[in-house]
Amino acid sequence: MTPHLAITDQPIDIAAALAAVQTDTAGAVNSFIGTVRNQSGGRPVRRLHYESYDSMALTQLGHVVAQAYEKWPMLQEVAVVHRKGTLELGDVAVVVAVATPHRAESFAACQFIIDTLKQVVTIWKREEYEDGTEWVAAHP
Amino acid sequence: MSLKVALFGITRDIVGTSVIELPAPAPTTVAELLAEMRRQYPALGELRSCAVAVNNEYASADTPLHTVDEIALIPPVAGG
């Protein structure tokens, strides 16, 4: 039941994240995979740079997963891996994987974890365009 | 005693360093720290938000600061 949480500067191994949540007591494994897309608000994006405050990111990620376990007591295994550093188009930025006995809770828990991660986990994204870069969401 | 504050993302760009040391008399609360940082670096006040973390947790405005604490400015996060 200990969640598998990591911030890494290496390419994310999706299969390993899915394998980490595999358990014979769960009949549903649900995953979210966030990838780098080629535009943001209509502006072409060349690549992304993620920066992380690792110790706090892992602390906050732990809180998010603990909240998920409270909301869905049947939640079995959880894995969250977030990439940092420079990512090219199509690269995997984040993987969330959860295992539950039945599918409904797996969808809900997976969505809760990625949605809450985006609100509280201390990771920042700088988008690189043809003509410069910008920290995402920094300004109103 | 001085206070060390870690900076990330756009706050590091604004201040120009990844750690700033505030000399004595240093701010004693989160609210004082934010006020002092915004006074020295007005661009911080233009951000959508700027939280303060104390020992890896988000801290409220009245949280006291100590030199042994790990303190950081937290601009709007954008993971995922």
Side-chain angles (χ1 to χ4, degrees), chain A residues 50-53 55-56 59-60 63 82 93-94 114 117-125 135-140, chain B residues 7-10 12-14 43 46-49 53 55-58 70-80:
Chain A
Y50 281 98
E51 178 179 335
S52 164
Y53 177 11
S55 62
M56 182 166 177
T59 299
Q60 298 303 318
H63 294 337
H82 204 299
V94 60
I114 184 65
L117 176 160
K118 290 170 85 82
Q119 293 167 12
V120 302
V121 172
T122 47
I123 294 174
W124 297 274
K125 176 162 57 183
W135 289 103
V136 174
H139 292 103
Chain B
L7 303 162
F8 296 93
I10 195 166
R12 178 166 37 72
D13 285 358
I14 289 171
E46 294 165 14
L47 300 178
R48 183 192 301 270
S49 67
N55 301 325
N56 295 321
E57 300 287 1
Y58 288 98
E70 185 175 315
I71 300 163
L73 291 192
I74 308 294
V77 298

Side-chain angles (χ1 to χ4, degrees), chain A residues 1-6 13-32 65 69 74-81 95-101 106 109-110 113:
Chain A
M1 299 275 283
T2 304
H4 309 268
L5 310 178
D13 184 339
I14 297 171
L18 293 177
V21 301
Q22 174 59 46
T23 168
D24 291 347
T25 56
V29 170
N30 201 300
S31 63
F32 172 83
V65 172
Y69 276 113
M74 72 293 291
L75 185 57
Q76 310 261 296
E77 301 291 335
V78 176
V80 183
V81 184
V95 172
V96 178
V98 305
T100 60
S106 74
C110 188
I113 291 170

Side-chain angles (χ1 to χ4, degrees), chain B residues 11-40:
Chain B
T11 62
R12 178 166 37 72
D13 285 358
I14 289 171
V15 176
T17 177
S18 57
V19 180
I20 186 172
E21 193 159 348
L22 300 175
T28 61
T29 65
V30 163
E32 284 182 26
L33 170 64
L34 279 174
E36 175 60 17
M37 290 299 293
R38 285 178 179 140
R39 189 186 66 74
Q40 290 189 34

